[in-house]
Amino acid sequence: MLSYRHSFHAGNPADVIKHLVLAQVLEYMTRKDKPFDYIDTHSGAGLFELAAKDAQKTQEYLQGIAKLWSYAGQVDAIRGYVDVVKSLNKDTLAYYPGSPKVAEQFLRKQDKGWFFELHPQDLKLLEKNTGHKRSLRVKGEDGFKGLMGLVPPQSRRACVLMDPPYEIKSDYEVAARSIIKAHKRFSSGTYMIWYPVVERARIDQMEQTLIGSGVRNIQLFELATEADTEERGMTASGMIVINPPWTLKATMDEVLPELVQHLSSETGFFRSEQLVAE
């Protein structure tokens, strides 16, 4: 259950959509001076060296961030995401930020970041990569449970990213139920669930769990690099966002066709949907 290392997958198309949505949410949160809490339930190491053995074994970043590194298109949100990655590099693409490092680019001195990680090696790396700021708190705990101890936050403003490794199939249901439970305690927070599409039926079930929960204002954004298959690996991934910024849907309607063009095969597609109305 602790075998997953994101270092093999850093910078792939799934990271692109995850971190682009995350950057949009965090940028929106910073439009008010009032402090907020960022809660990251499955943080990983925080920063990945793309020349390292793990990343080179799969080279998944070549199908993701590397294709956007010199992006010259007209979509501001894509350029902004690439600029976040470039801020951690010099002239060439050498490092890719995990969600903690993406978040750090937006968190101000009045904000707090909470990061959970159970893998012992990644926990040490995460502590190293966030230790320079007292406002960033790392916990070697189960993020599903840790989230419940942080809502409602003292700031009364928060956004949550939940992206478990889905090593065990029950994670799909646990993720949905955990977010629903947190929402009952703190209904005004923004909640993001990242998901991989390996078996479409599991995503359908996750969606129905959320739709039937009574939670309002749920949007879904998905990037498929190829058509669905019968459990032959991840073909797509997406973000389900509860209480999204009012700007997010229009932004992703512009972003997703562009990402399909740059990152997907001929059978690739996207979804941008309002699952539940406000």
Side-chain angles (χ1 to χ4, degrees):
M1 289 180 62
L2 288 178
S3 62
Y4 180 85
R5 303 292 303 281
H6 193 70
S7 49
F8 290 95
H9 312 290
N12 68 4
D15 268 357
V16 171
I17 186 169
K18 180 199 308 180
H19 294 145
L20 194 152
V21 171
L22 175 61
Q24 287 295 304
V25 170
L26 289 168
E27 187 279 326
Y28 186 83
M29 295 290 288
T30 63
R31 293 184 187 183
K32 292 183 179 180
D33 290 335
K34 188 178 178 183
F36 70 93
D37 289 65
Y38 170 68
I39 304 168
D40 195 324
T41 64
H42 298 77
S43 297
L47 185 67
F48 304 96
E49 185 178 359
L50 297 177
K53 180 176 65 176
D54 290 358
Q56 286 299 310
K57 184 174 182 180
T58 57
Q59 295 190 324
E60 291 185 19
Y61 67 93
L62 294 177
Q63 304 306 314
I65 182 59
K67 288 187 173 183
L68 298 174
W69 182 252
S70 299
Y71 179 74
Q74 300 301 310
V75 181
D76 289 342
I78 297 177
R79 286 203 303 272
Y81 155 72
V82 174
D83 285 345
V84 168
V85 181
K86 285 185 174 180
S87 70
L88 294 161
N89 289 273
K90 292 184 179 179
D91 296 328
T92 58
L93 177 59
Y95 295 93
Y96 187 81
S99 50
K101 279 294 184 184
V102 173
E104 186 186 332
Q105 307 306 303
F106 295 91
L107 296 175
R108 306 156 300 180
K109 62 181 180 180
Q110 66 265 42
D111 306 320
K112 292 180 182 178
W114 304 89
F115 305 102
F116 293 87
E117 179 55 46
L118 278 175
H119 194 289
Q121 288 175 269
D122 284 347
L123 177 61
K124 288 181 180 179
L125 291 170
L126 180 62
E127 290 172 337
K128 177 183 177 181
N129 288 324
T130 58
H132 57 288
K133 282 190 177 180
R134 293 180 62 186
S135 60
L136 307 180
R137 322 286 177 84
V138 173
K139 294 180 176 289
E141 303 172 12
D142 180 345
F144 289 130
K145 296 177 181 177
L147 169 60
M148 301 309 160
L150 293 177
V151 290
Q154 190 174 14
S155 67
R156 308 304 299 186
R157 298 181 72 219
C159 57
V160 176
L161 173 63
M162 180 172 286
D163 63 332
Y166 298 97
E167 284 184 288
I168 52 176
K169 292 180 177 180
S170 61
D171 276 357
Y172 293 90
E173 185 70 10
V174 173
R177 295 293 179 190
S178 296
I179 290 295
I180 292 166
K181 185 178 178 181
H183 183 272
K184 287 180 179 178
R185 295 188 182 187
F186 180 55
S187 62
S188 62
T190 296
Y191 298 90
M192 297 165 276
I193 308 175
W194 175 85
Y195 64 86
V197 180
V198 178
E199 184 181 1
R200 176 60 68 178
R202 295 197 179 278
I203 308 309
D204 293 341
Q205 180 58 51
M206 176 184 276
E207 289 178 37
Q208 290 307 312
T209 296
L210 290 164
I211 290 169
S213 69
V215 173
R216 307 297 298 173
N217 197 12
I218 307 177
Q219 294 177 353
L220 179 147
F221 308 105
E222 184 176 298
L223 172 66
T225 54
E226 57 185 283
D228 291 354
T229 62
E230 293 297 323
E231 290 198 83
R232 291 201 298 270
M234 184 177 69
T235 56
S237 67
M239 290 278 270
I240 296 172
V241 188
I242 297 169
N243 294 330
W246 69 269
T247 54
L248 185 60
K249 180 69 166 60
T251 297
M252 295 308 293
D253 285 344
E254 187 181 22
V255 162
L256 285 165
E258 190 87 343
L259 291 184
V260 167
Q261 180 181 339
H262 282 79
L263 306 182
S264 297
S265 69
E266 291 184 359
T267 60
F269 61 91
F270 70 89
R271 297 172 64 196
S272 179
E273 302 173 15
Q274 184 84 34
L275 290 183
V276 181
E278 292 186 50

